[in-house]
Amino acid sequence: TNLATQASVIAGFSFESLVELEVPEDTHWLLSSTYFVFGSAAMAMSLYCLVVSSFACVFGHRLALQGPHGSLEKAVTIMVSHRLHIFAVAGASLLCLVLAAVLMAWIKMGPAAGVVSAIFLAFGGAVSYRMHLLLGLFQIPESQVVTGAVQVN
């Protein structure tokens, strides 16, 4: 549910920026079109992440708690197998939001656009680096993974 909450925030930011940005008439069509593509992609991927992660959470918990014998292991296996996909979509939506923000800077901020773009790109690089670092730190060797298998005698 934590990821679903973050996805809803990104979807809201994306929607707001798509609706509220007034593109000056002298803006090159490719610049404004690319902005709208990245903003729309951020919104669509965030909504996808929101729906899929909420669905997985609700039905995964239901299967684990109310399903027949072996359902806990099945629910854990299903949720773990889809986890990276959902995180990848969430990361892609954040990347699209940052790229839309960079393009918005070039549409609206004139001479400051270069500095603003550098700030957004530095942010994107820092987030990417830290996520990669944390992913390595949180890795569990395959032989030590607890699967949720339960044996009752």
Side-chain angles (χ1 to χ4, degrees):
T1 58
N2 188 21
L3 190 59
T5 301
Q6 293 170 6
S8 68
V9 170
I10 292 174
F13 283 151
S14 300
F15 179 78
E16 184 69 18
S17 69
L18 290 170
V19 171
E20 294 298 325
L21 179 68
E22 295 180 19
V23 178
E25 289 186 24
D26 61 340
T27 302
H28 192 277
W29 69 269
L30 185 58
L31 182 61
S32 61
S33 296
T34 306
Y35 163 77
F36 285 114
V37 166
F38 279 121
S40 298
M43 183 178 160
M45 285 187 280
S46 295
L47 291 173
Y48 174 87
C49 183
L50 169 65
V51 171
V52 171
S53 62
S54 296
F55 188 91
C57 187
V58 170
F59 285 93
H61 288 139
R62 181 177 180 270
L63 175 63
L65 296 174
Q66 296 177 320
H69 180 70
S71 294
L72 175 63
E73 183 176 2
K74 182 178 179 182
V76 169
T77 301
I78 291 169
M79 292 176 86
V80 166
S81 70
H82 290 275
R83 178 190 60 200
L84 286 179
H85 169 76
I86 294 171
F87 274 111
V89 173
S93 71
L94 182 60
L95 175 64
C96 287
L97 182 66
V98 169
L99 292 174
V102 167
L103 292 165
M104 183 190 300
W106 287 100
I107 291 171
K108 297 292 276 186
M109 297 182 185
V115 174
V116 172
S117 296
I119 291 168
F120 279 126
L121 293 175
F123 162 79
V127 168
S128 178
Y129 170 76
R130 186 58 56 178
M131 287 177 65
H132 180 70
L133 179 69
L134 288 172
L135 185 61
L137 292 171
F138 286 120
Q139 284 295 335
I140 302 169
E142 193 65 35
S143 63
Q144 297 176 357
V145 172
V146 176
T147 64
V150 178
Q151 294 182 352
V152 179
N153 294 328

